[in-house]
Amino acid sequence: MSLTAAPAARTRVAAAKSRDAFYDNAKYLAIVLVAMGHAWEPLRDDSRAAAALYTTVYAFHMPAFIVISGYFSRSFDASPGRLKRLITGVAVPYVVFEVAYTLFKRTAGDDPDYPISLLDPWYLTWFLIALFVWRLTTPLWKVIRWPLPLALAIAALASVSPSIGDDLDLQRVLQFLPFFVLGLCLKPEHFQLVRRKEARILAVPVFAAALLFAYWAVPRMNAAWFYRRDSAQELGAPGWTGVAMTPAMFGCSAILVACFLAWVPGRRLWFTALGAGTLYGYLLHGFLAKGSRFWDWYEVDWVHTPWGEIVVTLAAAAVITALCTPPVQRAFRFVMEPRMKWAFKREPESSG
């Protein structure tokens, strides 16, 4: 290791030690649930239990991830340094993976004419463009008197506006916005509340009730409501239902996020360090998630048996875990966290 690399390595180690293990554990467990949800999607038609698990997880896994993203965006102030990190850590990966996913769909998906479009995110890249927009608006939410009610009003209006279209996946940007704003509004003491023993105990019957309700709702409710990518009218419902469903689903998701966080361990565990690589796992596992459909992996009969569903679940957890590891982070850091000093003006040194 060179003399210049040694201080940088020590800095990264010190930063890792200073991180609160709770948040890294939460990010890792949330991304595991994301991968499991994608793995369960093709199993829903054959198993009501799998569909109930899928619906329950989709009610809170991305909201949990977005709440945590909002919480750690509180310090964003549009300063040059933070804008640079926003470009290198969010905008550049968005462009790279949007192109990569499109090329993958053209080849593995046998769709050679599928267009490259930076305005129409495909599959998982919607989260990056949404995070870019949300973080840019952070200073605005920090000066508004009632940020969360306003964000909910915006989400409700989006849910009844089919004319929004697919550009930048704006429906998802706006309908998931309240969770990001909720994260901005949270303080450390709010997380301490859900980490109490009483909260962990209460989370058990709440999750049990959610699973029972999901089992009942599977044949009666369109799970696409939880994707938040369409308006109410596009889901075949009257427009007014979007206004009603937005706060109702937000409340349900927020309760389940709190229950999820109540179960997250606060001490350092074997997977704690993987919490720093969740965005790597999120974007990279998409190739396997889509590839499994392109290559007909779910056409095998045994996959649709109870044992097959368990194997698929464990495989999804193992794959996403491997993709969050430090070796994978090092291999893909050049596109996920490029330094790009050549692209930015040098900041003037302060005098005096």
Side-chain angles (χ1 to χ4, degrees), residues 54-72:
Y54 176 89
T55 301
T56 304
V57 165
Y58 262 76
F60 74 90
H61 70 351
M62 283 309 296
F65 212 74
I66 294 167
V67 166
I68 295 172
S69 298
Y71 180 72
F72 283 101

Side-chain angles (χ1 to χ4, degrees), residues 164-186:
I164 286 179
D166 296 327
D167 288 352
L168 299 182
D169 228 343
L170 201 54
Q171 279 286 2
R172 273 177 164 162
V173 173
L174 298 178
Q175 290 195 43
F176 275 114
L177 173 64
F179 297 103
F180 183 81
V181 175
L182 174 61
L184 290 176
C185 296
L186 292 177

